[in-house]
Amino acid sequence: MVSVAMIAYNKADVIGDAIKGVVSQWAPFEIELIIVDDASTDTTYAVASEWARRYPDIIKLYRNAANKGLQANYVEAFSHCRGKYLAVCDADDYWIYRRKLAVQVGYMERHPECALTFHRVVNYYEKDGTMSLSNGGQRRDCDIIALSRSNFITNLSVVYRKDLVDLTRLPSWILDDRSPDYAMHMLYARHGNIHYFRRPMGVYRIGASGAWSLTERYRRLEMSLSVREHLLDTFGDMPDVVSGLERSVRDILVAMVSAAGDDDARRSYALGKLRQRFPDFDEAAIQQYGTAVATQSSVKKLLTFIRASVSRLLPLPKP
């Protein structure tokens, strides 16, 4: 009924939690866990092999002869999935609710108009051991128009109705982008509704390098921009989706101007693209936008401090 795709590269210290969260699922149907190790240089494959020996009816383990990279490894994992539904859990994340798949798939079986479901997650910041909850204020039901404005779906939480998208004929540009998850959400959302579960059912690890420098932030924004530019071409026949993506592109470009810092070349590049695409969004508008973001950031910093202080008193959920 459900295929769970798990990709891994040098995750020997955490992949056990990811696997445990899957094989511990209580569901009135069969599941398979597809693990593809991307030629890890540590003991990731050995750890996964031991789990596969213990759960041969659930785990199907593969290893690439040479490192393919994150995007191509996702496609490789998808090629082995046989289920009616497709779930994703990377090797550094894990599920914490044993009825997660039963709840999500049960809903989708009762609602054939639903193309994908997702749920709240616990964000775990490894740098300081603090936690937060995702998706505050998230609507229970939405569609691709809402998703076009921002990516509010954490990858480990999603379940797709697999056959709505031909996974053997994904757009070639997905292999070029470093953020294939958002593209996948959009491709599936084209075919139906999106449903959200408020219960936290997984832990999303945010690595110790999560405190980005301006340079790292700029590069991540560039990746986000690239994905949306490809999606604009893909969804050109859906005006409301194009409008949402364009708004997202504008916000990303403005953020790139800020993240460029003292790098004149990067700042000029972001400004040039912004003025080309949005002629009415001038320097004054950028400054006004930046002031609004700064004000929001001040409030966010206070709330983050309170959240971090409280979360240190709470235990991290286990798989």
Side-chain angles (χ1 to χ4, degrees):
M1 180 68 84
V2 183
S3 296
V4 183
M6 180 179 294
I7 62 170
Y9 177 71
N10 287 354
K11 299 295 182 182
D13 56 335
V14 293
I15 192 173
D17 285 343
I19 296 173
K20 183 179 179 181
V22 177
V23 300
S24 300
Q25 287 294 299
W26 295 340
F29 46 73
E30 291 186 356
I31 67 172
E32 64 174 2
L33 170 57
I34 305 298
I35 305 174
V36 183
D37 174 68
D38 200 16
S40 293
T41 58
D42 66 359
T43 59
T44 296
Y45 186 75
V47 173
S49 295
E50 175 58 25
W51 281 94
R53 185 189 66 77
R54 292 165 57 189
Y55 295 91
D57 295 334
I58 298 177
I59 298 175
K60 311 294 188 300
L61 177 61
Y62 303 88
R63 189 179 195 186
N64 297 329
N67 184 269
K68 292 187 174 186
L70 180 144
Q71 310 91 308
N73 203 28
Y74 267 124
V75 175
E76 176 67 23
F78 295 155
S79 73
H80 299 287
C81 293
R82 302 172 300 158
K84 178 179 179 180
Y85 295 94
L86 172 64
V88 179
C89 184
D90 291 344
D92 49 358
D93 303 321
Y94 59 89
W95 299 341
I96 58 176
Y97 183 48
R98 292 190 176 186
R99 297 191 67 250
K100 167 196 151 68
L101 291 180
V103 168
Q104 289 182 266
V105 170
Y107 178 89
M108 296 175 78
E109 285 287 278
R110 296 189 304 273
H111 297 270
E113 75 282 1
C114 181
L116 64 155
T117 61
F118 72 107
H119 56 75
R120 204 169 203 187
V121 304
V122 176
N123 297 310
Y124 175 57
Y125 305 90
E126 294 183 323
K127 182 179 181 180
D128 57 10
T130 61
M131 294 176 283
S132 68
L133 285 173
S134 70
N135 299 92
Q138 181 70 47
R139 291 170 51 198
R140 287 272 194 176
D141 294 285
C142 61
D143 58 19
I144 190 172
I145 297 173
L147 187 60
S148 70
R149 296 168 186 154
S150 67
N151 181 17
F152 44 75
I153 301 176
T154 307
N155 208 31
L156 74 100
S157 75
V158 74
V159 173
Y160 304 116
R161 194 178 299 275
K162 185 169 73 72
D163 289 346
L164 292 178
V165 173
D166 186 349
L167 296 174
T168 67
R169 301 180 63 186
L170 291 171
S172 59
W173 54 263
I174 283 184
L175 294 179
D176 299 325
D177 282 308
R178 293 296 304 277
S179 302
D181 53 335
Y182 181 48
M184 287 288 291
H185 304 337
M186 288 289 290
L187 291 174
Y188 273 96
R190 181 174 209 159
H191 300 283
N193 297 336
I194 305 170
H195 185 75
Y196 165 68
F197 295 93
R198 292 190 179 128
R199 181 179 187 130
M201 295 193 259
V203 170
Y204 173 51
R205 296 182 195 264
I206 299 175
S209 61
W212 307 339
S213 66
L214 284 178
T215 297
E216 290 169 331
R217 181 165 179 258
Y218 188 93
R219 287 173 179 166
R220 289 176 183 264
L221 288 166
E222 276 188 312
M223 289 188 288
S224 297
L225 178 64
S226 175
V227 172
R228 282 155 180 82
E229 287 178 331
H230 285 304
L231 289 172
L232 280 167
D233 291 335
T234 302
F235 293 95
D237 60 336
M238 301 178 70
D240 289 340
V241 173
V242 168
S243 177
L245 289 169
E246 286 284 4
R247 189 171 79 174
S248 181
V249 165
R250 182 201 64 191
D251 292 346
I252 290 170
L253 285 170
V254 173
M256 286 173 65
V257 173
S258 174
D262 296 329
D263 189 322
D264 290 338
R266 284 182 168 174
R267 181 179 173 83
S268 295
Y269 171 80
L271 273 174
K273 293 207 72 164
L274 186 62
R275 288 166 176 159
Q276 179 184 16
R277 298 186 74 130
F278 308 98
D280 296 333
F281 208 73
D282 57 15
E283 197 77 34
I286 294 173
Q287 187 173 359
Q288 183 179 14
Y289 183 93
T291 301
V293 170
T295 302
Q296 292 174 354
S297 296
S298 298
V299 175
K300 186 176 180 180
K301 286 179 181 178
L302 175 60
L303 294 175
T304 298
F305 174 78
I306 296 172
R307 181 267 306 161
S309 300
V310 172
S311 71
R312 287 192 180 96
L313 306 176
L314 303 173
L316 178 67
K318 300 299 181 182

